[in-house]
Amino acid sequence: MAVLMKGSEVAKAMKERMVNEVERLGQKGIVPCLAIIRVGARPDDLSYERSAIKKCEGLGIKCRVFEYPEDIAQQDLMEEIRKVNDDSQIHGILLFRPLPGHIDEKAVRCVVSPGKDVDCLNPVNLAKVFEGDETGFAPCTPEAVVEILDHYGINPEGKRVTIIGRSLVVGKPLAMLLIRRNATVTVCHTRTKNLKETCRQAEILIAAAGRARMVNEEYVSEGQVVVDVGINVDQDGQLCGDVDFEKVEPIVAYITPVPGGVGTVTTSVLANHVIRAAGNDT
Ligand code: NAD
């Protein structure tokens, strides 16, 4: 039976560290504050917003929601973001994507001040991830994967890591974070040949393809660490990961559940970034 790498356990340990830091900032009169900027009201965004607010407020981080209509003009949205940038009481900015089709998302991302860009929207922060410069903010989900590995004592150094997925939000930055930790990383995608074999050869397998339960017993091998980043809804409307948990869990050594795995830690990383951003202000 595999060790279940529970997000709640990781989040609990992170909370202990963060509470101390929030207290230390409080002594200096600083209350960390996250601005959540949302265009429209997509159910996924609202659900993430609720969990981010719950996590942040539970740690003493203030949250302010800035909601705009779907048809907001690009210039107006950029102006609103600039105002948030200039507000000295706000330390972090979370902007939900994708933005509506009429908005040039790249232009908007560039407006978010790098020092407040707690979810790595601005290419300046993404460049820092690729440079191995830890002064920026990495995207929260890839960092959550590293937090989980660390918490469970799995050192990626020298290990063969296979990541399924090459998006800029998960796969690519995660590869960079793990290379920084001296892992030997293979990044797979839709054109990868021998995907199953490549996955089986890994010591750490990370699934971030967005395909419900695609990773079955043919993709894994004994002793592996399996991290499931996927959040999908199956044909029956049930939430599930990219990994077929029932088939994979009996084979591998460590595995994350969905729900209750990476997603749980992602909001903790977000909160941690807001605290760091607030600390940088001192
Ligand atoms: P994406 O669609 O942008 O990228 C998916 C990647 O997987 C692509 O690079 C694609 O080439 C690859 N891929 C897709 N199908 C494949 C296949 N059959 N074989 C090999 N490669 C394949 O998705 P994303 O934004 O990177 O998100 C990936 C998954 O992670 C989604 O399920 C998403 O919901 C989830 N996610 C979870 C969190 C979290 O906090 N847990 C955060 C962000 C995304």
Side-chain angles (χ1 to χ4, degrees):
M1 213 169 115
V3 173
L4 193 62
M5 298 190 286
K6 285 189 190 166
S8 57
E9 295 292 319
V10 184
K12 198 169 135 203
M14 288 177 76
K15 183 173 180 173
E16 278 168 29
R17 302 198 297 265
M18 288 192 279
V19 162
N20 290 338
E21 194 52 26
V22 172
E23 206 175 293
R24 202 184 62 79
L25 289 169
Q27 284 159 4
K28 295 182 182 171
I30 298 166
V31 179
C33 176
L34 171 69
I36 298 176
I37 300 179
R38 174 164 46 77
V39 178
R42 273 199 315 263
D44 282 2
D45 293 350
L46 290 171
S47 153
Y48 188 66
E49 183 177 304
R50 278 192 297 275
S51 50
I53 291 174
K54 191 170 164 210
K55 182 71 60 90
C56 285
E57 291 187 343
L59 287 158
I61 298 168
K62 223 169 118 182
C63 292
R64 284 171 59 188
V65 177
F66 296 81
E67 181 179 358
Y68 302 105
E70 287 253 15
D71 60 355
I72 187 169
Q74 173 158 335
Q75 288 310 319
D76 293 344
L77 179 60
M78 286 164 72
E79 198 42 46
E80 290 299 315
I81 295 173
R82 284 193 192 98
K83 282 188 208 156
V84 177
N85 282 343
D86 293 342
D87 186 333
S88 62
Q89 301 298 307
I90 293 174
H91 306 98
I93 296 173
L94 175 70
L95 168 72
F96 286 113
R97 289 174 296 159
L99 292 166
H102 66 281
I103 290 178
D104 175 355
E105 196 168 289
K106 192 157 185 208
V108 172
R109 281 165 42 197
C110 291
V111 172
V112 176
S113 165
K116 297 190 178 187
D117 179 25
V118 289
D119 198 21
C120 199
L121 293 170
N122 192 310
V124 167
N125 277 319
L126 199 55
K128 285 189 177 185
V129 173
F130 280 69
E131 283 171 3
D133 175 346
E134 290 174 353
T135 62
F137 295 106
C140 295
T141 302
E143 199 175 310
V145 173
V146 176
E147 287 281 355
I148 291 172
L149 294 176
D150 280 350
H151 180 85
Y152 283 92
I154 297 153
N155 184 356
E157 176 151 341
K159 299 236 166 66
R160 293 183 305 278
V161 178
T162 294
I163 301 171
I164 314 175
R166 60 174 163 183
S167 77
L168 265 185
V169 182
V170 187
K172 280 183 193 162
L174 178 55
M176 293 303 130
L177 295 182
L178 290 167
I179 288 170
R180 173 105 179 127
R181 302 288 294 271
N182 300 316
T184 303
V185 181
T186 304
V187 179
C188 299
H189 44 80
T190 43
R191 307 282 176 90
T192 298
K193 289 181 180 148
N194 305 324
L195 178 64
K196 291 178 184 171
E197 194 187 330
T198 308
C199 290
R200 279 197 304 269
Q201 282 167 357
E203 290 160 279
I204 300 174
L205 174 63
I206 301 165
R211 298 278 179 268
R213 299 193 185 97
M214 75 169 264
V215 175
N216 60 22
E217 69 276 21
E218 294 170 33
Y219 287 71
V220 297
S221 54
E222 267 180 43
Q224 262 183 344
V225 175
V226 176
V227 180
D228 190 353
V229 180
I231 300 177
N232 314 294
V233 178
D234 68 11
Q235 296 116 315
D236 306 326
Q238 239 193 322
L239 192 69
C240 70
D242 287 356
V243 176
D244 189 331
F245 189 90
E246 304 302 325
K247 292 190 177 136
V248 167
E249 188 271 342
I251 302 169
V252 302
Y254 292 82
I255 190 166
T256 57
V258 175
V262 177
T264 311
V265 183
T266 297
T267 48
S268 296
V269 172
L270 175 72
N272 196 32
H273 285 180
V274 180
I275 296 167
R276 250 184 64 204
N280 288 344
D281 253 15
T282 57

